[in-house]
Amino acid sequence: MRSTPFRLAAVLAVATLATACGGAGDDGDSGGGTAGEPASTAGFDGSTIRLGVLSPLSGPIAVIGQPLTSGNKVWFDHLNAQGGVAGKYKVELVQEDTQYKPDVTVQQYNKIKGDVVAFTQVLGTAPTLAVLPQLRADRILGAPASLDALWVREDNLLPVGAPYQIQSINAMDHYLGEGGGSPGSTICTMVQDDVYGEAGQQGIDFAAEKYGFTVANTQRFKVNTENYAGQIGALAGAGCEMVFLTATPTDAGKIWGTAAQARFTPKWYAQSPSYVGALAQSPVAPYMRQYVTIVAEGTEWGDESVPGMKDMVSRVAEYAPQQQPDFYFAFGYNQARAMTAVLEQAVEAGDLSRDGVLAASRELGTVSFEGLTGDYRYGPAQDRNPPRTTTLFAVDPAKPFGLATLKYDFTSEAARSFEFRKADI
Amino acid sequence: MAKAHRNLIRGYAEQLRLFGTPPARFGLLAMILVFLLLPTVVQDDFWLSVLIYVGITAVGAIGLNLLTGYCGQISLGHAFFIGAGAYVTARVGGDLGLPLPVWLLAAAAVGAALGGLIGPFTLRLRGHYLAIVTLGLIFIGEHLWRNLTGLTGGNSGTSVTAGAAIGPVDFGALSIAGESYSRNQGYFWLVWGLVGVIALLAKNLVRTRPGRALQAIRDRDQAAEVIGVRAGRYKIGAFMLSSAIAAMAGALFGSYQQFVSPDEWNLLLSIQYIAIVIVGGLGTIFGSVLGAIFVGALPALIDRYSDAIPGVRTSVGGEGFISVFALNQAIFGLLIVLFLVLEPLGLAGIWLRVKNYFKAWPFSY
C-alpha cells in the first residue's frame, strides 16, 4: 500500500509528459503561390503532382477496379508524354487496394492523404460514402468511380457520366418508344438489394410516373446469390414482358443463365455494370444476343467515328497494349480527364493546395469527353448539370467488347426533367 | 527472517490480486506509458487509424470471449449486435446530439436488451445447434438493416455524426495545455482507454463468483446446476453482457468511421471475431486484445511493406505474381491452421508459457 502515492505520481508525471511533447499529426498546407507557379504543398513537390487511387485491386470487385485504374493510368501516361499538367507538371498515381470494404478504404485513405493533392478515383458507393466525411473535414477533392446520383451535389466530389437514374429513365423511354412496349405492358424490375440497385429502381419509378405505367413485379436479390430460380420463377409467373436489371457481371450471368434454362424470354434492359466482355464469350451469349439490351454510355470499343474513342484506342495501343477492350477502362480514362481539367484550372490560378483544388473544381466550366460519355457541366455543386445521354447496346460476340451500338447518345424528355437533389449523407 | 518469495501465495485474497507481483505492476506501468505516449510518437494517421480499428475490435472480442471462451456458448451472431450498436449511435449521438457517455451506454443498453431476447434460446441449445441459431440472427439482422430505413438509412447506409466529447474534453479535437491533437490521436486515447476499462471490468467479473459460475457451465453445465449454479440465468446473463459489449464496439466503430452501411454486418465479420478469440486464446481477456492486434494489424503490416516483399504486385500493371490481398489471405489462413494445430491456447497461451518459464526460473519444470 505504501507505494500507491508513488504510483499515482508516476502516472501523473507521464500524463504531463504526454501533453508536453507531440502535437497534431496534421499536414499543413502551404497555401497558394504566385499565379502560374504553384507553391509546393501536400502531394506536390514543385514538379510532380501525386494523385490517390482507392480501388479494389483484389477480391471479387477487382474485375472492375483493375481496368478502371488502368484507364486512369493510360490517360496520365499520355498526359505525361505531352509534358504533364499545363505542359510541365508530371502526374504520379498512388494506388491503394480497398478490397471494396468501407473500413479498409478509410484506413488506406488515412495512409496516403498527406501524400496526394486529390483522389482521382474512389471506387464504389459505400467506400465513397465512408471517406466522404473525411474528405469534407480534410478539404480534399475526390472523384467517385460510380454513377450514383448522390455525388452530383457534393462539393468535395468530382463525378463523371450520367447517373444510373438517367440510364434507367432513358431505357424506359426506348422500350416504350421503339422497343415494342406500351404503358399497358407488364413491366418488371430485378434489382440488387443495395444502394446501386436502388438508384436504378428510383429511375424506373420516376419513369413510371412520367409515362404512366406501373411496375408489375420487383424482385430483389443479394450479391452472390447461388440460385436465382425463385426470382426468375416469380417474374415468369407475373408474366413480365420486360425486365429492367441492375446487377454486377457475376450475378447477371447467373440470372440470364437461369432465365434461359427456364425458357423465360422477356425483353431485358440491363444497367451498364451488369455487363462485362467475358459474358459475350460465355454459353449464355446466344440468349443475351436475342433478349438483352445493355444500357450504358459512349460508343462501342474501337468505333472510329467517335473522336474520343479513336484517340483512346490509339493510346491504349501505345501505353497498355495488353489491355483488353473494357468499359470500366473508359470510365477510368474519363475520370482522369476530368481531374486533369481541375488540375489545369488550379495550376492556372497558381494554387495546388487542397483549397486551391477545391476552388478550381468550383470554377470549372463544361468538360468535354469527346463522345466517350456526355459532357459534364461542373461549377459549384448546387449548379452542376450532369450529362443526360445514354447509349443502348445489343450483345454481339463478333465485336471487340461484345457490344454493338443500337442507339447512340440519346436523351429522353423525362431524363431531362429529372432533378438532382442534395442528399442528407 | 528472510522475506517470502514473490511467488508465495498466502491467502485467497492474494491469489485474486489483479497485479500482484512486481513484474505485473511493472507491466501495468509500461502499458499506461505506451498508451499515453504512443499517439504523440506515432503521429502517422495510417498507423493510428489501424490501431484505432484494432482497439475497437478488441472491445468486441472481449465481449465474444466472455460468451464463448468463458461460458462456452458459440455465437455466430456477434456482427448483428455490433451493427445494432452502430445504428443506435447514429440516432442517439447523431440525430439527438447527445454526448458520448449517453450514446455509448444507450448502445450497450440496446445491445443487452437484444441479447436478452436471444438469450432464452441458449437454454435449450448448445454447441453447433446454438451456432446455427445465432447464424440466423445475421440474416434477420441484414434484412432489418436494409429495410428499417428510418433507423438505418436502408441500403444507402447512414452517416454517424455522434460527437466524441465527455464534458469539455472533445476527443475529436483534443487540446491539452495549448497543444492541439488530431482526431486520430484523440480517438486512440478514447478507444484504448475504453479497452482498458472494459478489460478490467471483464477481468474482475471472471475472477469472482459469477465468472466461476460461467466457467463451471462451460465445462459441465449439468454438473454446475447440481452444485447450485443457476445455469439458465447465467447463460442469458452472459449473452446480454456479451451483446452489450459488442454494441459498444459497434458504437465506437460508427462514431470513428462516421458512416456505416448494412454491407458491413455480415457473416464474415462474425467469423473474423471467432478467429480473433481462437487465435488470441479462448477464455483469456488478454488473449482477446492480442488476437485483435494480430488479426487487425497483420494485414496492415503486410500492406504497408508489400513493396519490400519480392513477387508482390502492388499496382495495376505492376510486376509480381501475387496480390497483397491474396498474400494476406494466405498468411492469415496459414496462421489460423498453425495456431489450432500447434498452440490451441492461442497467443495468450504462448504468453502464459513464457511467464511460467520465468516464474520457475532457473528450474525448467
Side-chain angles (χ1 to χ4, degrees), chain A residues 209-282:
Chain A
E209 218 168 277
K210 283 274 163 193
Y211 295 103
F213 65 87
T214 50
V215 178
N217 195 310
T218 294
Q219 293 295 315
R220 292 177 188 279
F221 64 91
K222 272 217 268 268
V223 178
N224 280 331
T225 299
E226 278 307 314
N227 187 342
Y228 289 96
Q231 284 94 337
I232 295 296
L235 291 173
C240 299
E241 295 164 65
M242 182 267 196
V243 182
F244 186 85
L245 176 73
T246 72
T248 45
T250 320
D251 292 311
K254 283 192 266 182
I255 288 166
W256 287 321
T258 311
Q261 274 177 345
R263 298 186 200 290
F264 172 53
T265 54
K267 230 175 149 35
W268 292 89
Y269 280 75
Q271 200 99 278
S272 54
S274 311
Y275 182 81
V276 69
L279 280 174
Q281 311 304 329
S282 72

Side-chain angles (χ1 to χ4, degrees), chain A residues 27-33 38-44 139 350-355:
Chain A
D27 342 79
D29 297 347
S30 50
S40 50
T41 175
F44 177 63
R139 307 184 316 278
D351 187 0
L352 273 170
S353 71
R354 289 163 179 185
D355 287 325

